[in-house]
Amino acid sequence: MWEAIRRWFDPAELGSVGETPDYRFSLANERTFLAWLRTGLALVGGGLAAAQFLPPLPMSHLREVIAVALLLLGAAVAIRAVDHWARTERAIRLGQELPASRFPAILALAVGVGALLLVVAVLMRAVGGR
């Protein structure tokens, strides 16, 4: 694990692996990394917004749970983005298959389940407010 993390911060080591790829592939990999990073930042922003602007919800501490969940998910996306970028860049340089990832499916499920839970919380508030 520490070896993989070290590789994130050592571009010279990555540059010495395999052959220099067509720059378009490296730039596409970088654009994908930046898209994942934007997703992570959006989740962090959503967590901060939830903590600051959501009114108290019918279940105690639900607002805080939502905020912390979004913040942790944003952090996980950012860390996963840099790891996937490094593994993909290495595979491109070595002429190997690109690394498979279940992370997009897991993230989609987490966001979907979170949205459904928010729908339940909103409906509980609407019913309880009458």
Side-chain angles (χ1 to χ4, degrees), residues 4-79:
I5 292 172
R6 187 188 64 75
R7 281 191 218 142
W8 299 347
F9 298 102
D10 190 3
E13 189 271 337
L14 185 60
S16 68
V17 171
E19 298 177 10
T20 302
D22 183 336
Y23 70 91
R24 293 173 292 178
F25 298 123
S26 288
L27 292 175
N29 187 30
E30 187 174 324
R31 283 191 302 273
T32 302
F33 163 70
L34 293 172
W36 278 106
L37 202 53
R38 283 191 303 274
T39 301
L41 286 170
L43 289 164
V44 168
L48 293 174
Q52 187 65 34
F53 299 116
L54 272 181
L57 298 171
M59 296 171 57
S60 65
H61 302 293
L62 181 58
R63 176 177 60 180
E64 291 80 8
V65 168
I66 292 168
V68 168
L70 288 170
L71 291 167
L72 290 174
L73 191 56
V77 167
I79 291 169

